[in-house]
């Protein structure tokens, strides 16, 4: 297979502050909504939390050394808003700024490009208490102040910025399914908070450009392309419904500066739309013209079928890793997500579909004509440490390898891909699935206080791919 990856391709890996850092009240850090939520009874898998996590806050040098040894070209991480601004606004915590400066310097020293996410779900608790966080438009301006502080503090060193991580997931889980903070079920709030995330993104993009910083900025959306369950009209229509209030709803407002028409009509009839000011749409349009790339987190595709008015609604998520436990989820009258019999599934019932990535990348290219950064892709699995101290995660190599091949094919089809970040570099906390659902190249025994790092087989495999800029894989050796 012809290798389409150019020399500047960012072979990366990713993490997020709450899932990896620990040090949850160290050096003046304020509380985030996740610090509070994970301590509430019954909210996370077996009560797991990120108090210590992988202790990356105290061990980042060791972690960056491991990245360097692997040859990683880029490391995507998020900044904890509450480390910089413990109360969400006002007084800056210099120790927090120092931590990220140290991390960035350490990466640059080792030729690893920092890709910085500004928001990976850890809203300051004080803003939640003051005005209900994302529910109030006040959050937009507080967010932009925080973003500007980041641009000012790190903008001379960081080239790649991701404003929002998966706004579609944290608003859906927070306001449609009550699985993430603040644990509500309210369609109006879901749409309102999503609109506010788009505004926070848009205003931050414009602020970034106004500051004249040299760099690239976008946001990362969780993207699940989909197929119709059959060629029956009702399934084709269901697929269109899915795209209108799913993928295109999420990405159009960020990358075209408008909501898809049919989706708007649907919510208008239900009287669920938030107040959208004319000024909002002007900002969103301007930002969509200035944004540099689309970030996507890709894990799986969906298979969409007709769902009658008395059909299934949201029926929960598989969080215990017992394969087959996932029930069908849907929106009565619009669509439901059914099992795709032609695909394999992970233990958490996520469809494994490498070609879905190629398919989705081409869809995005055709709709938005922007370069794309794959900011997450990975396999959650129960990894086992062998008696001799090794982790033979061949299944992860197979998973990632097939997805990298899919990227290569997408580039052949004209998609401009800036880079590919695996989720995740070390093992870390999975929000609702605890520490047993592992994604990393580096194993961490979370039961053992030492939290020692052990590179898995996939760590060395990815190293070979990076060294050869993809040749090692594309020549057929998985
Ligand atoms: C994405 C998030 C990540 C990460 C990943 C894996 O939605 O951006 O933070 O958690 O999914 O998901 P999970 O941990 O639920 O398996």
């Amino acid at each position: 297979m012809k290798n389409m990856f150019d020399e500047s391709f960012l072979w990366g890996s990713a993490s997020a502050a709450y899932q990896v850092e620990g040090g949850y009240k160290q050096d003046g850090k304020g509380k985030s909504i996740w610090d509070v939520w994970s301590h509430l009874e019954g909210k996370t898998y077996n009560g797991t939390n990120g108090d210590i996590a992988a202790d990356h806050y105290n061990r980042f040098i060791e972690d960056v050394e491991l990245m360097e040894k692997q040859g990683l070209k880029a490391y995507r991480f998020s900044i904890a808003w509450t480390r910089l601004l413990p109360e969400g606004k006002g007084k800056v915590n210099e120790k927090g700024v120092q931590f990220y400066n140290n991390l960035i310097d350490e990466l640059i020293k080792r030729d690893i490009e920092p890709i910085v996410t500004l928001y990976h779900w850890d809203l300051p608790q004080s803003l939640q208490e003051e005005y209900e966080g994302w529910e109030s438009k006040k959050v937009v301006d507080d967010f932009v102040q925080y973003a500007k502080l980041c641009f000012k503090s790190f903008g001379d060193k960081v080239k790649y910025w991701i404003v929002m991580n998966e706004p579609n997931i944290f608003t859906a889980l927070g306001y449609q399914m009550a699985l993430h903070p603040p644990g509500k079920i309210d369609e109006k709030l879901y749409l309102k908070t999503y609109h506010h995330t788009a505004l926070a993104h848009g205003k931050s993009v414009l602020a970034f450009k106004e500051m004249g910083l040299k760099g690239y900025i976008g946001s990362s959306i969780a993207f699940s392309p989909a197929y119709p369950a059959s060629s029956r009209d009702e399934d084709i229509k269901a697929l269109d419904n899915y795209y209108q209030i799913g993928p295109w709803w999420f990405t159009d407002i960020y990358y075209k500066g408008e909501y898809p028409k049919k989706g708007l009509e649907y919510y208008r009839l239900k009287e669920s739309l938030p107040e959208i000011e004319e000024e909002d749409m002007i900002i969103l349009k301007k930002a969509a013209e200035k944004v540099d790339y689309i970030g996507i987190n890709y894990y799986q595709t969906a298979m969409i079928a007709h769902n009658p008015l008395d059909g299934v609604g949201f029926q929960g998520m598989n969080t215990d890793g017992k394969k087959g436990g996932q029930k069908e989820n849907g929106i009565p009258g619009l669509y439901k997500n059914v099992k795709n019999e032609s695909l394999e599934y992970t233990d958490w019932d996520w469809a494994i579909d490498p070609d879905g990535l190629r398919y989705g990348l081409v869809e995005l290219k055709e709709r938005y004509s922007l370069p794309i950064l794959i900011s997450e892709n990975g396999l959650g699995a129960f990894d086992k440490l062998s008696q001799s101290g090794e982790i033979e995660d061949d299944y992860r190599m197979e998973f990632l390898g097939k997805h990298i091949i899919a990227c290569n094919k997408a580039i052949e089809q004209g998609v401009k891909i800036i880079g590919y970040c695996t989720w995740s570099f070390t093992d870390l906390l999975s929000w609702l699935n605890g520490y047993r659902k592992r994604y990393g190249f580096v194993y961490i025994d979370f039961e053992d206080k030492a939290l020692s790092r052990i590179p898995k087989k996939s760590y060395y495999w990815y190293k070979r791919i990076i060294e050869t800029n993809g040749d090692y894989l594309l020549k057929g050796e998985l």
Side-chain angles (χ1 to χ4, degrees):
M1 193 185 293
K2 190 171 169 222
N3 187 339
M4 302 299 295
F5 298 109
D6 63 32
E7 286 304 317
S8 63
F9 191 78
L10 295 174
W11 297 100
S13 195
S15 73
Y18 185 70
Q19 296 175 275
V20 76
E21 283 181 2
Y24 78 119
K25 40 185 180 184
Q26 221 173 309
D27 294 336
K29 180 184 169 297
K31 262 191 204 161
S32 81
I33 52 174
W34 269 93
D35 290 319
V36 175
W37 181 258
S38 63
H39 284 265
L40 300 176
E41 183 86 30
K43 298 297 186 197
T44 60
Y45 181 79
N46 276 352
T48 36
N49 61 54
D51 292 2
I52 302 173
D55 198 26
H56 180 68
Y57 185 73
N58 295 302
R59 300 173 199 228
F60 69 96
I61 297 185
E62 185 186 346
D63 290 341
V64 176
E65 274 168 7
L66 279 167
M67 292 173 203
E68 183 189 28
K69 285 194 188 124
Q70 195 189 33
L72 212 63
K73 300 272 190 216
Y75 174 51
R76 174 191 174 219
F77 61 93
S78 78
I79 293 180
W81 185 344
T82 50
R83 276 198 202 285
L84 266 49
L85 295 161
E87 300 296 319
K89 55 185 170 179
K91 199 170 171 330
V92 176
N93 174 30
E94 291 303 335
K95 285 196 172 160
V97 178
Q98 192 58 50
F99 168 69
Y100 293 108
N101 261 318
N102 293 345
L103 172 59
I104 292 165
D105 290 345
E106 206 60 42
L107 290 165
I108 292 176
K109 191 166 95 193
R110 296 161 200 273
D111 281 332
I112 303 165
E113 192 72 58
I115 301 178
V116 174
T117 308
L118 294 183
Y119 188 76
H120 205 125
W121 306 354
D122 44 358
L123 185 82
Q125 174 67 15
S126 55
L127 302 185
Q128 188 66 39
E129 284 168 15
E130 186 187 328
Y131 50 65
E132 306 288 342
W134 289 104
E135 292 172 40
S136 163
K137 211 171 183 179
K138 288 187 188 156
V139 75
V140 176
D141 289 331
D142 284 337
F143 184 87
V144 178
Q145 288 309 318
Y146 156 66
K148 282 187 184 164
L149 172 65
C150 294
F151 299 150
K152 202 172 75 184
S153 309
F154 318 116
D156 54 337
K157 301 188 264 197
V158 172
K159 276 204 293 208
Y160 294 90
W161 298 88
I162 294 171
V163 182
M164 286 284 151
N165 177 71
E166 297 191 355
N168 50 331
I169 299 297
F170 81 77
T171 54
L173 295 186
Y175 296 92
Q176 271 189 319
M177 301 169 195
L179 293 175
H180 277 201
K184 299 187 181 178
I185 300 183
D186 183 325
E187 187 164 86
K188 275 192 182 166
L189 285 181
Y190 158 64
L191 295 170
K192 188 178 186 187
T193 52
Y194 194 74
H195 187 66
H196 291 158
T197 71
L199 278 176
H201 153 92
K203 284 194 166 183
S204 302
V205 168
L206 296 177
F208 181 81
K209 297 292 173 187
E210 272 155 28
M211 285 169 83
L213 293 165
K214 286 199 191 72
Y216 311 98
I217 192 161
S219 275
S220 290
I221 312 286
F223 183 50
S224 292
Y227 318 113
S230 78
S231 57
R232 276 199 301 273
D233 283 0
E234 55 180 22
D235 289 338
I236 309 279
K237 284 184 198 151
L239 182 71
D240 184 46
N241 294 338
Y242 168 81
Y243 270 95
Q244 284 288 315
I245 64 160
W248 301 151
W249 184 267
F250 306 135
T251 41
D252 278 8
I253 193 67
Y254 274 65
Y255 294 104
K256 280 187 172 188
E258 62 192 36
Y259 287 110
K261 293 213 170 49
K262 275 197 248 169
L264 263 183
E265 202 41 39
Y266 166 73
Y267 286 129
R268 191 170 288 138
L269 287 172
K270 285 185 82 187
E271 298 183 353
S272 312
L273 281 180
E275 193 196 332
I276 299 176
E277 291 175 44
E278 226 177 290
E279 171 74 10
D280 296 356
M281 299 317 286
I282 297 172
I283 292 167
L284 290 164
K285 262 273 175 265
K286 270 199 207 150
E289 282 158 16
K290 299 237 153 121
V291 73
D292 296 297
Y293 55 81
I294 301 182
I296 59 156
N297 294 350
Y298 174 81
Y299 289 89
Q300 56 177 330
T301 46
M303 174 70 99
I304 299 297
H306 170 66
N307 191 19
L309 277 170
D310 59 353
V312 295
F314 176 65
Q315 304 198 84
M317 259 162 70
N318 171 352
T319 55
D320 60 10
K322 286 193 191 123
K323 209 174 185 155
Q326 180 67 58
K327 297 203 184 101
E328 283 179 359
N329 284 323
I331 300 183
L334 287 190
Y335 66 83
K336 64 179 173 181
N337 197 346
V338 298
K339 190 159 186 223
N340 186 337
E341 297 298 339
S342 63
L343 297 175
E344 297 285 323
Y345 281 75
T346 72
D347 286 332
W348 281 263
D349 292 317
W350 292 23
I352 301 176
D353 187 7
D355 193 57
L357 174 58
R358 181 203 57 77
Y359 179 78
L361 287 167
V362 173
E363 279 190 306
L364 291 172
K365 177 204 81 164
E366 286 178 358
R367 198 167 175 94
Y368 306 104
S369 304
L370 277 168
I372 298 172
L373 173 68
I374 297 160
S375 42
E376 283 180 32
N377 175 236
L379 174 71
F382 292 106
D383 295 338
K384 291 268 162 322
L385 184 66
S386 75
Q387 291 274 314
S388 53
E390 274 142 28
I391 300 97
E392 308 251 357
D393 57 342
D394 295 67
Y395 39 87
R396 181 164 294 108
M397 289 151 48
E398 185 182 339
F399 180 99
L400 297 175
K402 287 184 174 164
H403 285 80
I404 295 170
I405 291 173
C407 292
N408 195 63
K409 287 189 188 151
I411 302 174
E412 248 176 348
Q413 287 184 256
V415 182
K416 168 103 187 76
I417 307 180
I418 300 168
Y420 171 82
C421 295
T422 69
W423 183 264
S424 50
F425 182 69
T426 61
D427 286 339
L428 38 68
L429 173 68
S430 171
W431 304 94
L432 299 179
N433 313 282
Y435 288 95
R436 339 175 295 155
K437 190 180 187 188
R438 295 168 183 275
Y439 283 91
F441 286 130
V442 177
Y443 184 90
I444 296 179
D445 183 352
F446 292 102
E447 308 275 289
D448 180 7
K449 274 213 165 109
L451 293 176
S452 40
R453 274 68 171 144
I454 308 171
K456 304 178 191 175
K457 192 171 172 187
S458 58
Y459 170 96
Y460 299 102
W461 167 86
Y462 197 51
K463 177 176 165 39
R464 295 282 290 135
I465 294 180
I466 302 171
E467 269 165 12
T468 59
N469 205 38
D471 269 355
Y472 176 65
L473 176 74
L474 299 166
K475 283 185 182 150
E477 300 170 61
L478 269 178

